[in-house]
Amino acid sequence: MDPRTCLIVDDSRIIRKVSRRIVEGLGYEVDEAADGAEALASCSAALPDVVLLDWNMPVMDGLTFLRRLRGLPQGDRPKVLFCSIESDPDRIAEALAAGADEYVMKPFDGEVLASKFEEAGMT
């Protein structure tokens, strides 16, 4: 069985580093992307099992990336976990409507992330 893979998409290197440590602890192999365009190129090459996705990024934001990901062949397969400081219920609903599977408020810790992975059936 192939190892499970996770793509962490965030323009903050620190957030990517912290998230990587948590996700690797859950048994995933991790790749990183600094924006939606980089993430889309990565997904076009090989779809991950899970995408941890920031909302506000330069070049291409998380919502645009998510809509494009879902348009790719097999693009409905990866579970997408939006991680954002966005707390407006309308924005959260918009993310879920665009195809996100779960939503996590920043800042989060390993326990919160692990429980979200579990809720989305990713553990």
Side-chain angles (χ1 to χ4, degrees):
M1 192 169 123
D2 289 333
R4 295 176 299 175
T5 56
C6 178
L7 177 63
I8 297 171
V9 188
D10 200 301
D11 55 331
S12 163
R13 197 176 55 78
I14 292 165
I15 298 275
R16 291 197 311 268
K17 187 176 177 180
V18 169
S19 300
R20 171 186 281 273
R21 196 171 319 130
I22 294 167
V23 173
E24 284 178 343
L26 296 173
Y28 284 79
E29 281 191 6
V30 175
D31 274 325
E32 297 179 17
D35 61 58
E38 212 177 283
L40 201 58
S42 176
C43 289
S44 296
L47 283 172
D49 296 307
V50 181
V51 179
L52 272 191
L53 183 60
D54 184 28
W55 193 304
N56 300 306
M57 297 177 289
V59 187
M60 182 190 295
D61 68 25
L63 203 58
T64 304
F65 162 78
L66 178 56
R67 290 187 173 123
R68 293 196 181 157
L69 168 68
R70 293 307 191 209
L72 291 175
Q74 301 285 306
D76 57 342
R77 196 175 57 80
K79 295 280 189 184
V80 176
L81 193 55
F82 242 117
C83 304
S84 181
I85 56 170
E86 287 287 347
S87 59
D88 180 342
D90 291 343
R91 298 282 280 173
I92 295 170
E94 188 180 4
L96 296 172
D101 295 286
E102 277 292 340
Y103 196 92
V104 183
M105 292 295 298
K106 285 181 183 174
F108 53 80
D109 60 20
E111 201 174 298
V112 169
L113 207 52
S115 74
K116 287 292 183 178
F117 267 58
E118 202 171 295
E119 283 171 35
M122 300 180 287
T123 52

